Amino acid sequence: MLRVCIELIFFKMILSPFPLFKEWIDAHAILLLWLLNVEIVYVIMIGLIFLRINESMSRLAKQRIAGKKDLSQLIKNIEYILDAIFIEHQGGMKLDLRYPVGKFQFDGEFTSDVAKGWINEIEALPRMLREAVCNMNDEQLDTAYRPGGWTVRQVVHHVADSHMNAYIRFKLALTEESPVIKPYEEGQWAELPDYDLPIEVSLSLIESVHIRMCKLLSGLHADDMGRTFIHPDSGEVTVGENIGIYAWHGRHHLAHITSLSKRQGW
């Protein structure tokens, strides 16, 4: 009992500076600690992650989401946090909400069959992405796939922006000698007004871009795969490697959406 009281005091000390949590702490903290039977280290972890929630709420305020929607998003964020922290505690596999399919890695030999497999993944993405979001309502589309992360709507619009950039990078590499490409601030792009548009705009755009991209990539020869562009941060990237990166990129963001749907029971 003494340990629980100490944990509760520490929990309140961490969260009390945030007005949003003041009343919630007094009403629910003891119950939360008792139900979860957490050790002090978990209390510290929860407190630190609540700081991320506060940042997320500030972002939501900037997007003019107020009142009940703020509370709804807060509750969802808490659910994600509890899932992420305690899934291993409950005996399940640890889930990385940010990289549900892992980071891009390829250590094998690049062959035409490897390239063909990646191109097939790129070709299939528009259909799979549409299927993943086709039954979502606006509230679900405006749900973040992880605490502090993008909403489903932002993810869809980001895929369109990213793959348009990828298509241009392929063309630059194929027509110029190791051109230096220009990166973009994807986080800031995701805050621009066009990210509020209906997702159909970007779903249609992704379909069109992928038709052209796959036609381009399917017609390349072995020598073309070795052509390069220079990314200011990543360095030299071959056309072949970039095909793999964007096959992975599609799976990466698709998994953000499908794993969210699975966790939420949608």
Side-chain angles (χ1 to χ4, degrees):
M1 183 63 183
L2 177 61
R3 180 181 64 81
V4 172
C5 291
I6 294 173
E7 290 177 359
L8 175 59
I9 292 170
F10 191 82
F11 190 61
K12 292 181 70 174
M13 286 174 61
I14 292 174
L15 299 183
S16 59
F18 302 98
L20 181 63
F21 304 123
K22 186 176 180 181
E23 295 181 4
W24 186 91
I25 294 169
D26 292 331
H28 299 88
I30 295 177
L31 178 61
L32 179 65
L33 289 171
W34 180 76
L35 288 174
L36 297 178
N37 190 28
V38 294
E39 300 297 332
I40 188 69
V41 65
Y42 285 134
V43 179
I44 296 172
M45 290 172 65
I46 292 172
L48 292 175
I49 296 177
F50 263 79
L51 301 182
R52 294 294 302 277
I53 293 181
N54 190 67
E55 294 174 3
S56 178
M57 297 302 293
S58 296
R59 179 173 61 82
L60 288 172
K62 292 179 182 178
Q63 295 175 346
R64 303 180 303 279
I65 300 177
K68 292 183 179 179
K69 289 188 177 180
D70 275 356
L71 180 58
S72 175
Q73 186 62 52
L74 172 61
I75 293 171
K76 290 173 185 174
N77 282 342
I78 293 172
E79 290 173 351
Y80 301 160
I81 288 168
L82 296 180
D83 284 344
I85 291 178
F86 294 103
I87 188 168
E88 189 172 14
H89 179 72
Q90 296 169 351
M93 291 181 62
K94 186 175 181 180
L95 177 64
D96 186 338
L97 298 181
R98 188 174 182 184
Y99 293 100
V101 299
K103 296 184 180 182
F104 175 72
Q105 290 183 329
F106 180 70
D107 300 321
E109 179 183 359
F110 180 80
T111 65
S112 60
D113 286 340
V114 169
K116 184 176 180 181
W118 286 341
I119 294 169
N120 287 341
E121 288 187 42
I122 293 172
E123 185 176 25
L125 178 67
R127 173 183 56 81
M128 297 175 70
L129 189 59
R130 183 177 288 278
E131 289 174 356
V133 299
C134 65
N135 294 319
M136 288 189 179
N137 57 38
D138 282 338
E139 182 180 0
Q140 291 168 329
L141 290 172
D142 292 325
T143 299
Y145 76 88
R146 65 176 177 87
W150 287 336
T151 65
V152 174
R153 188 186 306 275
Q154 287 174 308
V155 169
V156 173
H157 290 316
H158 163 72
V159 171
D161 282 345
S162 176
H163 290 209
M164 283 192 293
N165 273 275
Y167 179 53
I168 297 301
R169 291 172 185 179
F170 281 125
K171 288 204 155 191
L172 290 172
L174 292 167
T175 58
E176 300 178 18
E177 292 302 320
S178 296
V180 178
I181 59 95
K182 188 179 186 307
Y184 64 99
E185 297 294 336
E186 61 179 36
Q188 294 183 39
W189 282 35
E191 300 297 333
L192 294 174
D194 59 328
Y195 271 58
D196 294 331
L197 284 168
I199 58 170
E200 180 58 37
V201 175
S202 283
L203 291 174
S204 298
L205 184 55
I206 292 166
E207 288 170 348
S208 297
V209 169
H210 277 230
I211 289 172
R212 293 196 61 179
M213 187 187 298
C214 290
K215 174 64 175 178
L216 172 69
L217 300 178
S218 297
L220 299 183
H221 302 292
D223 290 346
D224 297 322
M225 296 295 182
R227 295 186 67 88
T228 63
F229 63 79
I230 307 298
H231 191 292
D233 298 325
S234 308
E236 186 177 77
V237 181
T238 67
V239 167
E241 180 184 4
N242 208 44
I243 296 173
I245 289 172
Y246 278 91
W248 167 85
H249 187 261
R251 287 187 284 109
H252 168 66
H253 285 302
L254 178 64
H256 284 157
I257 297 171
T258 56
S259 63
L260 170 65
S261 294
K262 183 177 180 179
R263 293 195 307 275
Q264 297 297 101
W266 293 343

